[in-house]
Amino acid sequence: MANPYDGLPALAAATPGTNGAGAAVARGTKRTAPDALPEGWKRVPSRSRPGQFTYENQFTKERISWVPDRAASRTPKNLPPEPKRAPKPARPDDPEEALKQSVEKLRVFLGKIKLHLATEEKFGAACKLLHKSFFSSAALSPEISDLYFDALRATQAVPSRCYADKDRRIVKYVFKAVRDKKEAFPGSMHYQLDTWILRAVSHNELYTDDTYEFNKAAKAFTDALLEIELRGKKRIVEQAGTESDKPLRELEDVPPELLEERKRVIVEILGTLHKQAKLPWAISTCNSVFKQVTDRRSIFGPEEQAMIDAANDLRAGKKVVRKEDHTGSLQGRVLARQSKF
C-alpha cells in the first residue's frame, strides 16, 4: 500500500525557516510580489489557485504565475520566461548513506518541532507534522530516539491540550503511532511513554458513543490504578523486610516522579467521566471508576486529592470554587471523604 504521506522533504517545506520554503520561491509558484512590479504588470488573485496570486499584463490581459522580471510587452505571447526549477538533489546510491542523510534531516526537524509544540497556537499543526514524521524510513532509529522522546515530552507540557476538543484527534494519532513503535525506544523510556499513551490515547477514547471502546478505555485507567496500588504495597513490604509474593517481586522500580505523573493522568479523567455519565449506558462504568479512585484517595498527593474532591462535588451537584493550576487542569477544595458509590 502506498505511503499516504509525502515524507520528510514535505515536512521541511511545511516547517517555517527550512529550505523547503526557499525551493517554493525558486519555482515561482508561491512567491509573493515585491513592492514594485515592472511597468505594465498587476498582481491579481488567481482564478485556479485559491489564496495565491498571478501577474496580469495590463496591455494584453495575459497572466503568468511567476513574478515578472521585465516590463510588460504590448505584443501578445511575448511573456517573460518562467524561472528554472531548482534541481532536486541526487539521491545517494548507497542505502546506508541515504539513511544517514534522512537521520540528519530528522534531527533538524525534531529540534524545530519541539519549539512549535511549546506554543498553543502552533500545537495542533506541530502534532500533525510530528505524526507524519513517523512514516519516514529513518524514524525512531537508535540515533534519534532520544530526540523523538524530547519532542513527545513537549506535547505533555500543558496536559489539558492533549484532550482538548481542538487537538485531541491528532494527539491521539501521534501516540497511537508511538504505541505501535514503542519497542524502538530504550526500555528506560517505556513507563513514561505508557503514561503519555494513557493521557493521549485512552483518555481521548472516552469521548465515544461505543460502549465497548468506552469500557476498554476506562479499564486502562483502573488497571493503572491497581498497578500503582501494588507498587505501594511492594514498598511497604520492602521497608518491613518481609518476603513479598511473586507479582510484587516482578514489578520493576520506577522513579517517584514518574509514579506521580501517572497518578495525575488517572485523576484527569474524572472530569471527562462526569460529562459522559450523562449517557445512560456509561453510568455504571463511570460510577465504578469514581469509586475505585475515591476509595484509593490516600495514595494520591494533595493536588490530586483536591481534583478528586472537586470531581465528587460536581457529581453531587455542589458548587465548587475552582482555580486553574499551572497545567490547565481544575482544582477544588480538599475535603476528606469516603466514596458515595
Side-chain angles (χ1 to χ4, degrees):
M1 188 170 115
N3 186 344
Y5 296 104
D6 294 330
L8 187 58
L11 295 178
T15 306
T18 63
N19 291 333
V25 172
R27 291 194 294 272
T29 57
K30 295 183 180 180
R31 181 177 170 184
T32 57
D35 293 337
L37 290 170
E39 183 181 357
W41 290 99
K42 182 180 179 181
R43 182 172 179 257
V44 296
S46 171
R47 299 191 189 103
S48 60
R49 295 172 294 132
Q52 298 187 36
F53 296 90
T54 56
Y55 304 92
E56 184 177 89
N57 184 321
Q58 296 299 288
F59 305 116
T60 65
K61 302 304 179 182
E62 294 172 297
R63 293 187 173 192
I64 58 176
S65 61
W66 57 93
V67 180
D69 58 0
R70 68 188 187 198
S73 172
R74 296 177 183 271
T75 305
K77 298 185 179 181
N78 184 17
L79 301 173
E82 181 178 0
K84 292 184 179 180
R85 294 173 180 261
K88 294 183 179 180
R91 301 187 65 175
D93 296 330
D94 183 359
E96 291 187 7
E97 181 62 25
L99 179 62
K100 183 178 178 181
Q101 291 185 14
S102 296
V103 167
E104 290 306 312
K105 288 180 181 179
L106 273 174
R107 283 185 187 277
V108 175
F109 165 75
L110 291 170
K112 291 181 177 179
I113 210 69
K114 185 169 66 171
L115 300 176
H116 295 328
L117 288 167
T119 61
E120 184 174 359
E121 61 274 12
K122 296 182 180 179
F123 180 77
C127 283
K128 290 178 183 178
L129 293 176
L130 183 61
H131 179 242
K132 289 181 181 181
S133 75
F134 283 107
F135 293 86
S136 167
S137 60
L140 295 177
S141 58
E143 300 94 325
I144 56 172
S145 61
D146 57 333
L147 296 178
Y148 264 105
F149 188 79
D150 288 343
L152 294 171
R153 188 198 302 278
T155 67
Q156 307 295 305
V158 180
S160 57
R161 288 180 189 165
C162 294
Y163 45 87
D165 291 345
K166 184 176 69 170
D167 296 317
R168 67 168 176 252
R169 171 180 260 182
I170 185 58
V171 172
K172 184 170 76 170
Y173 287 160
V174 168
F175 281 90
K176 275 190 170 183
V178 173
R179 186 174 61 188
D180 293 341
K181 298 174 181 288
K182 192 176 75 171
E183 295 308 313
F185 291 92
S188 59
M189 299 177 180
H190 286 186
Y191 190 86
Q192 194 162 23
L193 287 173
D194 286 338
T195 298
W196 297 341
I197 290 168
L198 272 175
R199 175 180 279 147
V201 179
S202 300
H203 189 152
N204 285 322
E205 287 179 344
L206 292 171
Y207 293 93
T208 180
D209 56 2
D210 185 302
T211 306
Y212 173 78
E213 292 297 329
F214 181 82
N215 290 338
K216 180 181 174 183
K219 186 177 184 301
F221 287 95
T222 55
D223 288 347
L225 181 63
L226 295 176
E227 176 258 333
I228 290 174
E229 186 177 38
L230 275 178
R231 290 186 182 279
K233 290 180 180 178
K234 179 184 178 183
R235 186 172 64 255
I236 293 172
V237 168
E238 290 173 347
Q239 290 173 350
T242 57
E243 184 68 21
S244 60
D245 55 16
K246 186 177 179 181
L248 295 182
R249 290 196 303 270
E250 290 178 347
L251 286 174
E252 297 180 359
D253 292 332
V254 175
E257 62 273 16
L258 299 189
L259 281 176
E260 292 304 314
E261 183 180 27
R262 184 163 294 192
K263 291 176 186 178
R264 181 63 178 238
V265 169
I266 292 172
V267 174
E268 286 169 358
I269 68 165
L270 296 181
T272 302
L273 290 176
H274 171 64
K275 296 175 185 176
Q276 294 295 83
K278 298 174 184 177
L279 303 172
W281 54 264
I283 292 175
S284 61
T285 298
C286 293
N287 286 346
S288 175
V289 176
F290 261 85
K291 181 181 187 324
Q292 293 187 57
V293 173
T294 304
D295 287 349
R296 294 167 176 81
R297 181 180 180 277
S298 61
I299 71 174
F300 294 94
E303 288 188 3
E304 289 75 29
Q305 289 180 354
M307 293 170 67
I308 294 170
D309 293 339
N312 275 302
D313 283 345
L314 284 174
R315 286 176 64 76
K318 295 181 181 180
K319 184 177 180 181
V320 183
V321 178
R322 300 188 298 275
K323 62 180 181 179
E324 285 198 4
D325 65 7
H326 68 283
T327 65
S329 299
L330 291 177
Q331 290 189 17
R333 65 183 186 278
V334 179
L335 300 174
R337 68 175 71 240
Q338 296 297 320
S339 171
K340 296 182 179 179
F341 307 101

